[in-house]
Amino acid sequence: MLELAILGFLHDAPLHGYELRKRITALTGHVRPVAESTLYPAIKRLEKAGLLARETQPGAVAAPRHVLSLTPSGRQELRKRLTEPARGDITDENRWFTLLAFLRHLEDAAAQAEVLRKRLAFLEEPASFFYEGERPLSAEELDDPFRRGVLTIARATSRAELAWLRTTLASLDSDAGR
């Protein structure tokens, strides 16, 4: 998720590490804060793999700044990660939102639609957070108001996302048919 966010934000524009961290935190930080001790090793890995380039620019007031940009290989890697997401990128809500934030970088509507179809299929699978044996429990079956709240909120969120997915897929399919 972190590497995808780095690649995605740098596809938008070259950034220095501090600005990149602010943007990643704005996207995911409320759930998964991004520490410098996590971000900078990820940047180094991507740089070592030839996916990022670093340029030193003079600082306005202080020390020089290192500005990061995506290399052509980095753009290709981003497209690959968007086109072929891991199962966890589809099923984990936070990873899904990160993927979704950069899906526009896939220029092919059919490829975008294929990713959305994977999420749609996942959301259409019967599921719950709570089970009786193998059977998923609905909110109405729970006496616990807090667990009922979890399921009620999850159901509302899923319905909104399903509606958005179906509308967006219809639009993408229409665009691909033109």
Side-chain angles (χ1 to χ4, degrees), residues 57-130:
Q57 296 180 346
V61 177
R65 299 183 331 163
H66 299 280
V67 177
L68 302 164
S69 61
L70 216 51
T71 64
S73 295
R75 288 181 186 282
Q76 183 178 3
E77 179 65 20
L78 174 62
R79 283 190 295 276
K80 178 183 175 216
R81 290 180 188 213
L82 293 172
T83 303
E84 303 167 8
R87 171 101 174 130
D89 295 337
I90 298 297
T91 60
D92 179 277
E93 186 172 273
N94 299 310
R95 289 169 59 181
W96 168 247
F97 283 153
T98 301
L99 179 76
L100 192 57
F102 303 109
L103 197 56
R104 67 188 178 94
H105 295 312
L106 280 182
E107 295 169 4
D108 179 35
Q112 292 170 334
E114 183 57 33
V115 174
L116 295 185
R117 278 189 185 80
K118 290 177 183 178
R119 177 68 176 184
L120 179 64
F122 165 70
L123 289 177
E124 289 177 333
E125 293 172 10
S128 178
F129 299 110
F130 311 109

Side-chain angles (χ1 to χ4, degrees), residues 129-130 139 142-153:
F129 299 110
F130 311 109
L142 296 171
D143 293 329
D144 181 332
F146 308 107
R147 286 189 169 193
R148 192 170 48 246
V150 167
L151 292 180
T152 300
I153 292 165

